[in-house]
Amino acid sequence: MTAMRVIRTLLFAIAFAFVAAPAGADDANPAASAFMQSLGSHAIKELTDPAVAQSERQARFRMLLDEHFDMGAIAKFTLGRYWRTATDEQRTEFRTLFEDFIVQSYSARFSEYHGQGFAVSGSNATDGGTIVVHTRIDMPSSEDVRVDWHLRKTDSSFAIVDIVVEGVSMAVTQRSEFASVIQSRGGVAGLLDALRAKNAQSADSSAAQQ
Amino acid sequence: MLHSPALRTAALQPRGVLVRTHRVAVQRAARLAALLVGLILLGGCATPPSNDPEALEAYKEANDPLEPMNRYFFELNYAADELLFKPLAGWYYVALPNFAQDGVRNVLRNVRSPVVLANDLFQGETDRAGVTVSRFLVNSTMGIGGLFDIASRMGLEYHDEDFGQTLAVHGVGEGPYLMLPLLGPSNPRDAAGRVVDMLFDPLTYIGIFAVDNIGLGAAVVDGVDTRARNLKTLDEIRKGSLDYYATIRSLYRQRRNDEINNGKTPEGGAPGLGDDQQSARPAGYAQVSAAEPLVPRRPKLAKALPLFIIKEPAGPLPALPQP
């Protein structure tokens, strides 16, 4: 009888799996999907090789950022409403410091993610004119991570404007952190000081490791 | 609480004595609550900036009127994590092989099915409720009491639900950000939701009527397991932050919104990856708090506390931070 029950449960579950299976994912913009698939495989190969020295990894990451991310738009977004009040010099310096900050705080993490698969599962357009490409990154020791890439069309290709990991936007997170620093340190100048200090400290510690 | 003579004695005595210790615990909890309220009244509140419209805008966006008090508890939680929870999680991580850790998590998820099911139904998500029931049936039988997640391999993927999400689906706002001592990031809506979820958790009742502390034990193990899965991630997030507190606050909110929307983009787009898989839970300390002292025969009220945090935190995020 127990066996019967198990079989019945199994059949039920299988039947249910078919009913509940999601319809094939839409791919509104195959060109964007292809772009992400190739960039993703390329980036994983370049950045996650454990044999690569940290300085080399940072250099590669910076190249990817410059080439495939719209860093100007991202920097502007993360400064939020303070972009308007910042002076031209502050904006220029912020863009430089921001890129260094991203390179240093993010590139160390890639060494831990060697060997993941990267699969594009679809794309769609948003009201704001960006294209979202949905991917899953397959983590060896835990569940897949859902990553959405927000792209802007450029003349010849696409540029990434945001990365959303499990619903958490990098740009939004960075913006609210910066807003908090600006509040507590009395303005954009305070944020620039904090970034300068942080970058110097990260550079020191990565130099010490080598 | 191990230091409490009343409790230590209670642990060695027959059940009848427990009644008294419950009262002690209630009194103690009431005193603690009074202390917290006092702290909030005593200048825990930030004063909204009045003259600068930019600053006022930022203040509203942060939605954190209790920020000074929250930052204080954030520091305390961080210290407790460094001293106690993180080392504990580290040992667990080293001592148990990966498949054993997965088994632990699978069992914990399986026993939590009634909570998830109740909230699926409250939210009118009948398909997902069906998935929850099927998962429970498959994993309890073929998965040997939930030890193996056979259902996932059949396409019945795990999803989480809680009463905080249910409230949100029905339009209840989150309220101001709250950093709870030991329990981590929250808000009034989610904190209330956790209390309700305990009512749907069979372990709550097993803890009361049969063997003491089943619920506590599960919560402790869950907390340790969750923390162990985030050892590196949270460190990286902290190292990569200018303002760790503000980063965690933002991560918690975004993550909760994603869970409430079941991983779908709210503006009617992005169905492809709709089913949530859970993983990244940026909220650092929440899980950790479960690793509370192991007290034999813990009184009911105190026992309930660790259950607030049954949650899985962050999986490894390629670009994300955490405590």
Side-chain angles (χ1 to χ4, degrees):
Chain A
M1 282 304 106
T2 321
M4 279 299 293
R5 212 181 306 145
V6 171
I7 291 167
R8 230 183 306 144
T9 311
L10 178 59
L11 290 178
F12 173 57
I14 291 172
F16 201 91
F18 281 109
V19 177
D26 295 331
D27 198 355
N29 195 325
S33 298
F35 165 80
M36 271 322 302
Q37 182 66 60
S38 104
L39 177 58
S41 323
H42 175 64
I44 285 180
K45 205 166 64 200
E46 287 270 294
L47 298 176
T48 65
D49 182 352
V52 170
Q54 188 58 25
S55 57
E56 169 64 15
R57 186 174 290 122
Q58 288 195 358
R60 289 179 181 184
F61 183 43
R62 191 185 290 273
M63 250 172 63
L64 286 171
L65 277 185
D66 291 342
E67 203 175 333
H68 299 296
F69 286 69
D70 188 343
M71 288 304 281
I74 297 172
K76 188 176 167 191
F77 177 85
T78 56
L79 211 50
R81 69 174 69 81
Y82 302 101
W83 184 262
R84 275 187 290 114
T85 53
T87 65
D88 282 348
E89 295 79 57
Q90 282 179 327
R91 290 178 186 179
T92 313
E93 192 186 3
F94 174 71
R95 284 178 57 157
T96 315
L97 289 172
F98 176 65
E99 183 165 319
D100 291 348
F101 174 69
I102 294 297
V103 167
Q104 295 188 332
S105 56
Y106 286 43
S107 58
R109 296 179 200 158
F110 294 119
S111 58
E112 292 166 28
Y113 297 107
H114 48 91
Q116 305 97 334
F118 176 92
V120 172
S121 60
S123 65
N124 62 276
T126 67
D127 299 341
T130 54
I131 303 142
V132 184
V133 178
H134 311 284
T135 65
R136 282 196 175 204
I137 298 182
D138 170 30
M139 311 299 282
S141 59
S142 69
E143 286 158 358
D144 291 1
V145 176
R146 172 169 46 93
V147 183
D148 290 344
W149 307 79
H150 292 237
L151 310 182
R152 193 175 58 72
K153 185 98 186 65
T154 62
D155 293 343
S156 57
S157 177
F158 297 94
I160 299 170
V161 291
D162 195 9
I163 306 176
V164 180
V165 182
E166 295 283 337
V168 176
S169 151
M170 299 298 102
V172 169
T173 307
Q174 214 61 74
R175 184 172 66 170
S176 56
E177 181 186 29
F178 288 167
S180 175
V181 174
I182 290 171
Q183 281 305 302
S184 63
R185 289 183 169 237
V188 174
L191 172 66
L192 295 177
D193 286 344
L195 279 171
R196 244 179 262 120
K198 185 78 182 176
N199 289 347
Q201 180 200 336
S202 310
D204 282 354
S205 70
S206 66
Q209 279 168 16
Q210 278 163 20
Chain B
M1 322 239 164
L2 263 183
H3 336 290
S4 147
L7 281 188
R8 211 185 296 136
T9 340
L12 305 170
Q13 292 198 1
R15 255 152 204 266
V17 184
L18 270 181
V19 179
R20 213 163 45 211
T21 63
H22 283 207
R23 207 178 304 137
V24 171
V26 170
Q27 283 168 0
R28 199 169 288 166
R31 232 177 289 144
L32 184 68
L35 180 73
L36 289 186
V37 173
L39 268 176
I40 292 170
L41 296 178
L42 273 175
C45 295
T47 31
S50 49
N51 45 1
D52 179 356
E54 301 278 301
L56 187 63
E57 211 38 51
Y59 177 84
K60 282 188 196 151
E61 202 172 279
N63 186 16
D64 191 2
L66 301 177
E67 183 168 340
M69 184 193 72
N70 283 339
R71 279 191 186 265
Y72 174 74
F73 284 127
F74 186 72
E75 290 303 315
L76 277 190
N77 287 351
Y78 177 68
D81 182 52
E82 286 291 317
L83 290 173
L84 182 58
F85 305 133
K86 206 166 116 185
L88 208 59
W91 293 332
Y92 170 88
Y93 186 76
V94 172
L96 282 191
N98 272 351
F99 71 86
Q101 290 177 20
D102 288 347
V104 167
R105 194 185 42 176
N106 291 340
V107 168
L108 291 171
R109 281 181 173 180
N110 200 47
V111 277
R112 209 179 116 79
S113 296
V115 179
V116 177
L117 175 63
N119 285 297
D120 282 336
L121 293 173
F122 288 153
Q123 295 174 30
E125 298 268 5
T126 44
D127 285 0
R128 281 159 66 94
V131 171
T132 304
V133 172
S134 310
R135 279 182 55 85
F136 183 74
L137 294 177
V138 171
N139 286 345
S140 301
T141 52
M142 290 192 294
I144 314 182
L147 204 53
F148 300 97
D149 188 358
I150 308 283
S152 277
R153 279 175 234 165
M154 303 165 78
L156 296 165
E157 282 193 24
Y158 175 79
H159 66 262
D160 194 17
E161 281 298 348
D162 57 65
F163 200 71
Q165 296 184 46
T166 299
L167 289 173
V169 166
H170 292 289
V172 178
E174 61 180 343
Y177 184 65
L178 279 182
M179 177 58 64
L180 302 176
L182 291 180
L183 300 176
S186 192
N187 56 51
R189 179 195 66 205
D190 293 345
R194 296 222 157 123
V195 178
V196 174
D197 284 332
M198 284 184 350
L199 300 176
F200 297 107
D201 190 337
L203 295 188
T204 307
Y205 301 99
I206 294 174
I208 293 168
F209 296 120
V211 191
D212 273 32
N213 286 328
I214 284 200
L216 172 65
V220 169
V221 174
D222 188 47
V224 172
D225 178 69
T226 299
R227 183 71 183 96
R229 286 168 198 273
N230 292 290
L231 285 172
K232 278 186 191 152
T233 323
L234 285 184
D235 275 353
E236 292 292 349
I237 289 174
R238 195 172 70 82
K239 270 191 262 168
S241 299
L242 293 176
D243 184 341
Y244 189 33
Y245 172 86
T247 301
I248 294 295
R249 183 175 64 197
S250 177
L251 291 175
Y252 178 74
R253 286 214 178 109
Q254 294 185 63
R255 191 60 205 130
R256 281 303 280 173
N257 285 338
D258 186 62
E259 290 174 334
I260 290 161
N261 296 316
N262 290 343
K264 297 182 180 93
T265 326
E267 316 82 352
L273 286 175
D275 336 340
D276 30 325
Q277 41 168 17
Q278 69 145 79
S279 62
R281 187 161 309 241
Y285 299 122
Q287 320 73 25
V288 174
S289 39
E292 265 231 78
L294 294 148
V295 184
R297 297 263 165 106
R298 213 152 186 249
K300 187 166 131 200
L301 185 67
K303 178 165 68 183
L305 285 177
L307 291 175
F308 281 32
I309 44 173
I310 298 200
K311 280 283 125 174
E312 190 125 5
L317 304 183
L320 269 197
Q322 286 200 5

